[in-house]
Amino acid sequence: MSSIATGGGARPTRRAVALTTGLLIVFLLYSLAPTWFLLVSSTKNQTDLYSTFGLWFSSNHLADNFQAVWDYHDGVFGRWILNSVLYSTVGAAGSTLISLAAGYGLSKFGFRGRGALFGMIVGASLLPSTLLAFPLYLVFAEIGLTNTVWAVLIPYFINPFGVYLGKVYADSSVPTELMEAARIDGANELRIFASIALRLMRTGGITIFMLDFVNIWNNFFLPLFMLNGERSFPVTLGLFSWVQQAQTSRDMNTLVLTGSLLSIIPLAVFMFALQKYWRSGILMGSLK
């Protein structure tokens, strides 16, 4: 028996509660272990990194390591962070707008082949992005856009899964009756979408933006194929170049670990800053 029937429904037993709590604690430790390792390793110098226990502190060299990361190669790490912010922000914003517009069109307008088109979009969302990196490189090489910002941004603008989410949110949050009332009042389709639909789909837009931002920030293969110049690298590709150098020089290991810790700070700040808007949108939708 995993639960006890009561007047108010089934109540979990102590054994079930203990098992669930234990599994959650194991999952929490598993999730936090890599971050904890980065935090501990970033406080050590080269000697302590190899001579002390890997999951606990020794002497504190965190400030020195931070300074070394920012000063290395004329501050190239700061440029990588700015590049990642640019790619993630612009790419996620463009993808969100296109996804909401496409999803709204699929949801609210009837046309021949709509079902087949939606099926193709769902199928495209199942393709792994790493599978498309090399074909995209061949296309952009043919038109001469490799090693440019557009070679990274344009593929980010097209997100089939975002279109799917946009359609789902349009189906549930944009009443057809409201659109008809707006048409009767003389509003054109563009104004209806910009003034009414986008506001009602705000929760979906924030969700798509968050998912796209995190995905673009962590993307590695597309910049690896498209970009050649070190100054145009995002932070993921920049850290990979340091890892390659660390294979021949142990002095790079501290820079790699400290840089990895610094690279997740902007992403964590972004998630916590936007989380309240996402939660408020979900609560508003549930009240409706």
Side-chain angles (χ1 to χ4, degrees):
M1 293 292 291
S2 60
S3 61
I4 300 175
T6 62
R11 185 182 64 180
T13 63
R14 292 183 178 180
R15 182 179 179 182
V17 172
L19 179 61
T20 302
T21 303
L23 291 175
L24 289 175
I25 292 174
V26 171
F27 178 76
L28 177 64
L29 294 176
Y30 176 80
S31 302
L32 295 180
T35 304
W36 175 255
F37 173 76
L38 284 179
L39 178 61
V40 171
S41 299
S42 297
T43 64
K44 300 180 180 181
N45 57 20
Q46 286 292 328
T47 303
D48 293 340
L49 190 62
Y50 292 98
S51 61
T52 61
F53 181 56
L55 295 179
W56 197 248
F57 302 94
S58 57
S59 55
N60 188 1
H61 299 274
L62 184 62
D64 295 334
N65 292 337
F66 279 2
Q67 190 65 39
V69 168
W70 291 113
D71 292 342
Y72 184 81
H73 205 177
D74 298 326
V76 70
F77 183 82
R79 180 64 180 265
W80 293 341
I81 292 290
L82 292 178
N83 289 340
S84 289
V85 171
L86 172 66
Y87 298 148
S88 300
T89 303
V90 177
S95 174
T96 300
L97 182 59
I98 293 173
S99 297
L100 291 179
Y104 172 79
L106 287 170
S107 173
K108 299 304 178 182
F109 296 100
F111 53 89
R112 182 176 297 178
R114 182 176 67 169
L117 179 61
F118 182 65
M120 292 175 60
I121 291 173
V122 173
S125 66
L126 301 178
L127 294 176
S129 58
T130 54
L131 186 66
L132 302 176
F134 184 65
L136 284 172
Y137 168 76
L138 296 178
V139 172
F140 280 89
E142 189 68 24
I143 60 179
L145 284 181
T146 55
N147 202 29
T148 66
V149 173
W150 297 111
V152 179
L153 289 180
I154 292 177
Y156 288 151
F157 289 156
I158 311 301
N159 181 8
F161 185 68
V163 175
Y164 169 77
L165 289 180
K167 182 182 182 304
V168 170
Y169 276 99
D171 287 339
S172 61
S173 61
V174 182
T176 304
E177 297 79 7
L178 185 60
M179 296 172 55
E180 294 294 338
R183 293 189 183 108
I184 294 174
D185 291 338
N188 58 36
E189 298 298 336
L190 181 59
R191 184 175 180 182
I192 293 173
F193 173 70
S195 301
I196 299 176
L198 279 181
R199 294 184 179 181
L200 295 175
M201 298 169 66
R202 181 178 60 181
T203 301
I206 294 175
T207 303
I208 295 171
F209 183 83
M210 289 182 64
L211 294 176
D212 283 340
F213 189 96
V214 174
N215 181 59
I216 295 172
W217 186 279
N218 293 325
N219 196 305
F220 171 76
F221 280 100
L222 183 65
L224 178 64
F225 279 96
M226 295 295 185
L227 303 176
N228 296 323
E230 185 183 57
R231 306 295 292 184
S232 62
F233 286 175
V235 68
T236 51
L237 190 55
L239 288 173
F240 175 72
S241 68
W242 281 3
V243 171
Q244 290 182 312
Q245 297 178 45
Q247 295 177 359
T248 57
S249 174
R250 293 180 60 181
D251 294 339
M252 294 296 298
N253 289 326
T254 302
L255 291 179
V256 171
L257 292 169
T258 308
S260 299
L261 177 65
L262 289 172
S263 69
I264 66 175
I265 293 177
L267 192 59
V269 171
F270 165 79
M271 294 296 294
F272 282 113
L274 206 58
Q275 188 178 25
K276 61 179 180 180
Y277 299 105
W278 191 28
R279 284 182 175 177
S280 64
I282 293 176
L283 291 175
M284 290 176 60
S286 64
L287 290 176
K288 292 180 181 179

